[in-house]
Amino acid sequence: MAETTEGLKGETRNKRTGDMKNIRNIGIIAHIDAGKTTTTERILYHTGRTYKIGEVHEGTAVMDWMEQEQERGITITSAVTSCDWRDKKINIIDTPGHVDFTVEVERSLKVLDGTLVVFCAVGGVQPQTETVWRQADRYEVPKMAFINKVDRTGADFFKVLIEMHKKLGANATPIQIPIGKEEDFRGYIDLVNCKAYMFGEEADLGELVESEIPEDMKEITSHWRHNLIEKLADVDSEVEELYLMDEGIYPEQLKEHIRRVTNKNLFVPVMCGSALKNKGIKFVLDAVCDYLPSPLDVAPPKAVNPDTDEEVQLEVADKAPLCAYAYKVMTDPFVGVLTFARIYSGTITSGTYVYNSTSGVKERIGQIVKMHANQREIVQSATAGNIVGLVGLKKTSTGHTLCDQDAPIALDKIKYPEPVISMSIEPDTRADQDKLGIALGKIQSEDPSFKVRYNEETGQTIVSGMGELHLEIIVDRLKREFKVGANVGSPQVAYRETIAKEVKATGKFVQQSGGHGQYGHVEARVEPSEPGAGIVFEQEIKGGAIPREYFKAIEQGIRTAAKTGVLAGYPVTDVKVTIYDGSYHEVDSSEMAFSNAGAIVFREGMRKAGPVLLEPIMQLEVTTPDEYLGDVIGDMNMRRIKVEHIEQHVTTKIVTGAAPLAQMFGYATALRSLTQGRATYTMEPSFYKEVPKNIMEKIVSGESGD
């Protein structure tokens, strides 16, 4: 990781850094292959951050700095950089588009003020686009849309716009429309200023020439500008008044109205271009500055006092008490652990101490660095509104809050999806044994969607993740980054166990061995709970049948027992346990006795309540040329995939369905074989569903490796 002092000169040159009005913290999110990283590379080039354009397909993209990213041509980890445009400082996080790395999008959106969503003009609104859009909605992050690749065969700007309305329910409205389509894309019309811009002779370097609106486009320009004002009037009373009074709106007024409703998440400005050919990127930069919010324009995150749980109002100011959120931890070969943090209020200075309100420890800030992909720029301090890397934090993990000890504050943690796929891993040699454990621990601290556990029955170390590619990348990192030799088993599905009916169960733990014995007795109702609820514990004890101080021990015993089901040893989910009666002994009862009684009542209830096996179901979308549709559907039927929808898209069919993960291992190879490599697919976790009885019997008996 190269180190440079370029940023120190930049800090002196750019005195407005501390001015939060001029900061834009944005993320670039999209479906895989829509052009996120390419768009970021062009932004860095045009803002003077890089002198040469990096290409994803050549493995030279600055933001895809990992070897695995360069080899595969995909983004795996979210990379941070910053640049200047006009009088604004733009902090950018380029995120992955592959569903296996959706956790990177989740934690990035947590700390961003705005986002640029990139759409492919040919592919339209694709599955992962819907996922990241919903993630942005969940964090209430304002959005702008950039419809990329409008110069490609089959591109249709207005069709993508319709899909955004239908699939995303977005109030998405063009502020720019293309002149020409597909290979004839030669410019665009700025609907706010009512001006046309044609690509000049140096178009591939972003050259634009202002010109008259083409005669054959004056009517469509008038239509879409009227549409822009109409859509604004729907969500802005001031524009509505001007619209009803039939008064004109000057461009600067229009910009102000667009900015206000975009920041309120009521409106999505839509632009067009071709990032690969450098067309439309300068307009995107202008729009980021004009329409996306500064840290002062968005509501501060909800915060509480960790000691009292009372809500605290964050003051977004440099001189306010410190509040920073650690959203990502990374192991750096040069500086050790690097913690990425968003500063919401106050100032962080290197060499000082901060208080981690989540872990309850004081930490010393060794260095503060501003990141440019994998390059570091050392700075002495950082103020509210900025995203920085912190060196020297030893007890800080993803989701922790850093603050002043005399003004404790805590922000909400991020909820991460549960892994859906597992495999065993073992060291190559005895010398690799300790190194493997340390390396897996470091990766787990970096990636909350990656889990490591030890199976005592088989003596195996089991790693779990979000998909085959996720685990493949981790194994590759072990060998290259951590120099650990490891062998891995075949991927296994992360099944879950649950129950089908309500029962009553008794849990009694009695032990007598001279002196004080052990006594715990619990009566409970064990029943199915809502899907996704996990293990729910409730108590209805009356008359002191069980003293209150034993409730926590009973719950702990139940949750420990739920880690291993009674059918095939898989974790149990969606079960509600209500203790309603029991008994205790004045002398022999203890927390340990009631913890054991809780475990016994849970296991007995599971056995009596008709345990069933649940399997993860994936949302699958296959895009295939028309002539291979029959073969693709036939293969889907053999894999127990429920086809839900088939849609025609130019010369291809888009097939969506619900696919059992157990049937999807090796699907990429099978699909290539069926379609001569011309079909593509995407897949993301959707829900858990009961396994068919005949397959469940095979899994329980150990006949099936699924």
Side-chain angles (χ1 to χ4, degrees):
M1 188 177 275
E3 188 168 321
T4 172
T5 57
E6 180 192 330
L8 293 174
K9 290 182 280 186
E11 290 291 294
T12 306
R13 185 181 67 248
N14 185 1
K15 293 179 182 178
R16 63 190 177 280
T17 301
D19 185 354
M20 278 187 281
K21 289 186 300 186
N22 292 323
I23 294 175
R24 301 287 182 270
N25 291 315
I26 70 164
I28 300 186
I29 61 176
H31 184 88
I32 191 169
D33 247 5
K36 296 176 302 304
T37 302
T38 302
T39 301
T40 310
E41 294 294 323
R42 270 50 181 181
I43 286 173
L44 296 179
Y45 175 75
H46 284 301
T47 56
R49 197 67 176 80
T50 55
Y51 66 91
K52 183 183 177 185
I53 297 174
E55 300 292 4
V56 175
H57 57 276
E58 293 175 1
T60 58
V62 173
M63 302 302 278
D64 284 350
W65 57 269
M66 288 176 68
E67 289 179 16
Q68 293 90 342
E69 294 177 313
Q70 293 166 357
E71 289 172 359
R72 291 167 171 81
I74 62 170
T75 301
I76 292 168
T77 183
S78 55
V80 185
T81 189
S82 62
C83 56
D84 292 337
W85 185 252
R86 293 186 352 205
D87 60 343
K88 305 291 187 288
K89 178 188 175 186
I90 305 172
N91 295 317
I92 303 171
I93 300 180
D94 174 37
T95 65
H98 197 287
V99 67
D100 281 17
F101 310 105
T102 191
V103 68
E104 291 285 338
V105 182
E106 188 82 20
R107 59 183 172 190
S108 299
L109 286 170
K110 171 78 174 175
V111 298
L112 292 170
D113 299 322
T115 187
L116 178 68
V117 189
V118 181
F119 295 81
C120 172
V122 180
V125 178
Q126 295 164 290
Q128 186 64 5
T129 316
E130 292 186 62
T131 300
V132 297
W133 191 278
R134 287 194 301 271
Q135 287 174 300
D137 278 344
R138 190 160 60 248
Y139 291 108
E140 298 179 351
V141 181
K143 297 175 281 290
M144 292 196 317
F146 176 56
I147 298 178
N148 189 26
K149 305 184 183 182
V150 294
D151 57 343
R152 280 185 47 187
T153 303
D156 191 331
F157 174 83
F158 297 106
K159 185 174 183 291
V160 179
L161 197 64
I162 292 166
E163 285 189 14
M164 289 173 71
H165 294 156
K166 285 183 177 177
K167 293 184 177 181
L168 305 175
N171 186 19
T173 306
I175 56 171
Q176 178 192 35
I177 57 172
I179 298 173
K181 64 183 294 188
E182 299 181 344
E183 66 273 7
D184 189 38
F185 175 52
R186 59 191 186 279
Y188 61 80
I189 294 167
D190 177 353
L191 295 172
V192 175
N193 292 298
C194 274
K195 290 181 179 178
Y197 295 90
M198 309 301 284
F199 302 122
E201 291 181 8
E202 298 289 323
D204 284 357
L205 295 177
E207 185 193 355
L208 289 170
V209 178
E210 187 178 328
S211 64
E212 292 294 316
I213 295 173
E215 198 65 37
D216 63 344
M217 290 199 70
K218 286 185 176 176
E219 189 176 331
I220 193 171
T221 301
S222 175
H223 165 78
W224 283 107
R225 192 170 198 275
H226 182 82
N227 177 75
L228 171 60
I229 295 168
E230 201 173 54
K231 294 292 184 186
L232 286 171
D234 288 342
V235 292
D236 188 300
S237 56
E238 288 184 38
V239 178
E240 183 183 31
E241 193 174 323
L242 292 169
Y243 178 70
L244 293 174
M245 298 286 288
D246 203 22
E247 293 186 18
I249 303 179
Y250 291 106
E252 286 308 311
Q253 280 181 295
L254 199 53
K255 280 184 183 178
E256 197 49 49
H257 291 304
I258 293 172
R259 176 177 174 76
R260 187 167 62 246
V261 293
T262 300
N263 290 355
K264 288 180 180 176
N265 235 333
L266 300 171
F267 184 83
V268 181
V270 182
M271 299 160 288
C272 63
S274 170
L276 185 65
K277 300 290 180 61
N278 247 315
K279 296 176 178 177
I281 299 300
K282 289 181 179 178
F283 189 92
V284 168
L285 279 163
D286 286 339
V288 166
C289 296
D290 289 336
Y291 306 128
L292 285 181
S294 75
L296 294 171
D297 296 320
V298 293
K302 290 179 181 176
V304 297
N305 183 318
D307 299 329
T308 64
D309 280 339
E310 291 179 2
E311 194 166 326
V312 177
Q313 188 62 42
L314 263 181
E315 182 188 353
V316 183
D318 296 352
K319 294 182 180 178
L322 175 67
C323 179
Y325 188 83
Y327 74 93
K328 181 176 177 176
V329 176
M330 187 177 88
T331 303
D332 183 283
F334 292 90
V335 299
V337 176
L338 186 60
T339 305
F340 290 88
R342 161 70 190 268
I343 307 171
Y344 285 103
S345 66
T347 301
I348 292 181
T349 306
S350 62
T352 60
Y353 283 86
V354 295
Y355 178 64
N356 183 327
S357 63
T358 312
S359 61
V361 298
K362 284 179 74 174
E363 296 255 53
R364 185 179 181 276
I365 305 292
Q367 282 185 339
I368 302 170
V369 295
K370 293 198 172 179
M371 301 299 296
H372 175 48
N374 66 329
Q375 294 181 331
R376 293 169 281 121
E377 302 168 0
I378 302 171
V379 294
Q380 288 305 305
S381 64
T383 54
N386 282 293
I387 295 173
V388 293
L390 304 175
V391 180
L393 304 182
K394 294 180 172 61
K395 302 287 185 182
T396 299
S397 298
T398 301
H400 287 193
T401 305
L402 304 174
C403 59
D404 295 334
Q405 191 161 9
D406 54 358
I409 196 167
L411 304 179
D412 283 345
K413 280 191 164 188
I414 305 169
K415 290 183 180 176
Y416 296 108
E418 284 296 311
V420 295
I421 187 171
S422 302
M423 64 185 185
S424 61
I425 187 166
E426 59 184 30
D428 267 349
T429 64
R430 187 174 289 277
D432 287 318
Q433 181 78 50
D434 292 340
K435 287 164 64 179
L436 178 63
I438 293 167
L440 289 175
K442 286 181 177 179
I443 295 173
Q444 187 170 223
S445 70
E446 291 179 19
D447 184 352
S449 66
F450 173 68
K451 304 290 184 191
V452 182
R453 64 184 172 87
Y454 182 71
N455 188 322
E456 293 183 1
E457 289 182 12
T458 62
Q460 291 179 313
T461 298
I462 307 295
V463 293
S464 304
M466 299 306 298
E468 285 183 274
L469 181 60
H470 187 198
L471 294 182
E472 182 187 317
I473 295 293
I474 283 167
V475 172
D476 196 36
R477 283 187 65 195
L478 286 172
K479 293 175 181 174
R480 292 195 201 191
E481 200 175 310
F482 296 97
K483 305 294 187 286
V484 178
N487 297 314
V488 295
S490 300
Q492 301 292 315
V493 177
Y495 289 107
R496 295 286 184 269
E497 295 184 25
T498 192
I499 55 175
K501 63 184 179 182
E502 179 182 330
V503 296
K504 288 184 177 179
T506 299
K508 189 174 276 192
F509 181 75
V510 182
Q511 207 170 59
Q512 198 70 42
S513 57
H516 287 312
Q518 295 288 343
Y519 182 90
H521 168 214
V522 174
E523 299 285 341
R525 281 196 311 277
V526 182
E527 59 190 305
S529 65
E530 293 294 317
I535 302 299
V536 180
F537 173 79
E538 291 185 2
Q539 64 83 19
E540 296 174 356
I541 298 293
K542 292 175 183 172
I546 300 174
R548 182 172 293 276
E549 62 262 31
Y550 295 132
F551 291 169
K552 196 162 189 179
I554 296 169
E555 181 179 1
Q556 184 60 45
I558 288 168
R559 294 193 180 280
T560 301
K563 292 177 181 177
T564 308
V566 298
L567 267 180
Y570 291 105
V572 179
T573 190
D574 303 340
V575 172
K576 180 180 176 183
V577 182
T578 307
I579 59 168
Y580 62 87
D581 201 359
S583 62
Y584 73 104
H585 190 278
E586 289 283 359
V587 177
D588 291 350
S589 287
S590 66
E591 287 190 356
M592 187 188 85
F594 273 103
S595 176
N596 283 324
I600 292 166
V601 82
F602 183 81
R603 283 194 285 266
E604 185 191 325
M606 280 291 296
R607 279 190 285 267
K608 289 167 65 177
V612 294
L613 208 57
L614 300 175
E615 63 179 340
I617 303 296
M618 314 297 282
Q619 185 65 37
L620 175 72
E621 181 177 289
V622 178
T623 303
T624 176
D626 290 346
E627 60 263 38
Y628 300 111
L629 180 64
D631 292 335
V632 169
I633 295 290
D635 183 66
M636 283 182 163
N637 291 335
M638 287 172 59
R639 294 174 184 268
R640 295 194 288 122
I641 298 171
K642 182 184 177 185
V643 176
E644 295 169 341
H645 188 63
I646 301 175
E647 181 184 341
Q648 183 71 42
H649 186 62
V650 195
T651 60
T652 61
K653 289 282 196 307
I654 298 174
V655 186
T656 56
L661 178 61
Q663 303 293 329
M664 299 309 292
F665 296 131
Y667 187 62
T669 305
L671 189 64
R672 276 198 299 270
S673 175
L674 284 170
T675 63
Q676 296 182 8
R678 292 174 64 194
T680 59
Y681 80 98
T682 58
M683 191 169 69
E684 63 181 47
S686 185
F687 59 93
Y688 270 85
K689 181 183 177 185
E690 189 175 334
V691 176
K693 193 172 181 182
N694 62 320
I695 294 173
M696 184 179 81
E697 287 170 356
K698 288 182 181 179
I699 295 169
V700 172
S701 66
E703 291 177 34
S704 171
D706 291 342

